[in-house]
Structures are given as C-alpha cells and as structure tokens.
Amino acid sequence: MIFSGTGDYYSAGVNLGGTLKLMAPKKLHQLIVEHNQSLFDKYLTFPKPILVAVNGPAIGASVTSATLCDAIIAANTSTFSTPFAALGITPEGCSSVQFATLMGEKNAQRMLKKEGWRPNAQEALTAGLVQWVVPKDQLQAQAQKIAQQWVIDGRRRKILGGIALSELQAVNKRESIELANRFFGAEFLRGQFTFLWRKKKHLPSMVFLLLWLLRPLWKRFYDTNISFQSHARLRLVIVNIILNRP
C-alpha cells in the first residue's frame, strides 16, 4: 500500500479539539487511551507492506505513524514536526523508541523535546528518518516504482527499525496511558491555551485557560464517574462573561 496525502501538505496531525469531549474524567481517560492505542495498532498490525509518500509538511501523529511503516519516501518540500513538548504532551506512536532507533538518541531528543527540531526532507534523509527524497513532481511516480518492485520481490511486512511487533505494541500501550495522563495535566492545558491563542482561535483557547485555572476544582472528580455536564455549564457561563466584557 502507498500511503500519501493530497495537495501541498501531507497531514496536520490529530485535531485535539475534535478529539476531547465532555464526559466523566475516568471515562475520558479510558477513551483517550483506547483511541490512541487503536490508531497506532492499526499501523503496526497492517498485514501488507506500507510505503509512505510524504508530499509536504507532516506534523505530529502523521510523522510518528509513518515510522511504523516499511519505508518513507519524501518530496523535497517536506518537513517533519513533532511538537509534543510545545503542546505539553508526551510522545506517541512509539516515537519514544522509534525515533532513537532510526535517527539516534540526539536527533530523537531534538525532535521530541523543547527544541522542537523540524527537519526538512534532506535533513530527515541524513538523520535516517526517511529513506528517499525526490522532487515533488516525481514523488508519486517514484513511490509507484518502489512499490511495484516490492511486489516483484515478494516483500513481506517489515516495520522500520527492526523492533519486534510485540515490543512496539507494548510501547504503544504505555505511551497511550502516559498521553492520557498528561491530557489531565496543567502543562497540557496551559500549552493548548497558548497554542490556540497564537493561532487566534480565541474562544477554544479560553476554554483551555478556564480548564487550567479551574483544575483544582474538577481534578478531585478524576477517579469518580461523576458527570462533567454541570462543570461544562459553569465553564461556558464564565467563557460568555469573559467574551462579553467591555
């Protein structure tokens, strides 16, 4: 299978605002764990070889999921960004081990930690994140050529880096739990507020700000099944007050 995007961009990653929903904290935590683990397990257990053809900028989960495939060919216009530290969240998609395996510990930390290194296509090739770089207008043709050769060779599924499937599945499970834990943390809520505010998405940014400021109040419900609905109403009331202030 050739996995690619359309137009000038490969993928902007996960829409966190569309992922999180109001519900009991314990249930929300479980939902985040299950959905995140399921997403990357689909890549890990896909039965056929996957060639990722990155046609432009790739962000977050679109980068980490690509490293769970057989190989990556990138257009020369591509960039690779995993801004987990900037968002106040932990690595996902097995990147806590896959990045170091493919690029070495130093480059892995540059991408995953606060430096937020965003290598371009040539830098990613030199580091070992991708295996081929071609001009953008040749990407699909070259990807097709590689995939056809795989068919001729009878290639079987082989995840980049050579780590055993069972080990990567265990890493995915651990990372999913750590990610869900972080979603309830002050650093993540503050990071989302800052990120959305810089994007001029003021209303959703204020929701995260209020969640952060009110965290001491709702955090005590984390281990219970008490509904978030009453707290949601309170947050919306405060948002309306703030937005309608002169």
Side-chain angles (χ1 to χ4, degrees), residues 1 3 43 46 48-52 68-71 150 157:
M1 184 178 77
F3 195 90
Y43 284 89
F46 191 78
K48 298 181 180 181
I50 311 174
L51 175 62
V52 178
L68 304 179
C69 300
D70 292 65
W150 284 2
R157 182 80 164 93

Side-chain angles (χ1 to χ4, degrees), residues 120-158:
N120 59 34
Q122 190 58 49
E123 289 171 332
L125 177 67
T126 301
L129 181 63
V130 308
Q131 288 65 58
W132 302 276
V133 173
V134 297
K136 181 176 173 59
D137 61 359
Q138 298 178 23
L139 177 67
Q140 297 304 326
Q142 290 298 319
Q144 188 70 23
K145 183 177 179 180
I146 294 168
Q148 287 175 338
Q149 189 61 51
W150 284 2
V151 173
I152 293 171
D153 295 340
R155 182 187 176 100
R156 295 182 178 275
R157 182 80 164 93
K158 185 179 180 181

Side-chain angles (χ1 to χ4, degrees), residues 49-108:
I50 311 174
L51 175 62
V52 178
V54 180
N55 56 299
I59 302 173
S62 68
V63 179
T64 58
S65 61
T67 69
L68 304 179
C69 300
D70 292 65
I72 304 171
I73 180 171
N76 58 347
T77 57
S78 302
T79 57
F80 299 84
S81 175
T82 50
F84 304 135
L87 295 174
I89 58 177
T90 53
E92 36 84 314
C94 300
S95 58
S96 63
V97 299
Q98 278 291 84
F99 277 23
T101 300
L102 298 176
M103 298 185 290
E105 189 64 35
K106 182 179 179 180
N107 283 329

Side-chain angles (χ1 to χ4, degrees), residues 149-201:
Q149 189 61 51
W150 284 2
V151 173
I152 293 171
D153 295 340
R155 182 187 176 100
R156 295 182 178 275
R157 182 80 164 93
K158 185 179 180 181
I159 298 171
L160 280 166
I163 298 176
L165 173 61
S166 59
E167 184 176 346
L168 289 175
Q169 287 177 314
V171 171
N172 184 29
K173 181 177 182 179
R174 170 180 59 77
E175 287 181 349
S176 297
I177 295 172
E178 291 172 351
L179 183 67
N181 290 342
R182 185 59 65 91
F183 273 15
F184 285 84
E187 186 179 359
F188 166 73
L189 298 173
R190 184 173 61 248
Q192 282 295 295
F193 160 69
T194 303
F195 175 77
L196 292 169
W197 187 266
R198 288 174 179 171
K199 294 291 184 180
K200 300 187 183 303
K201 297 181 179 181

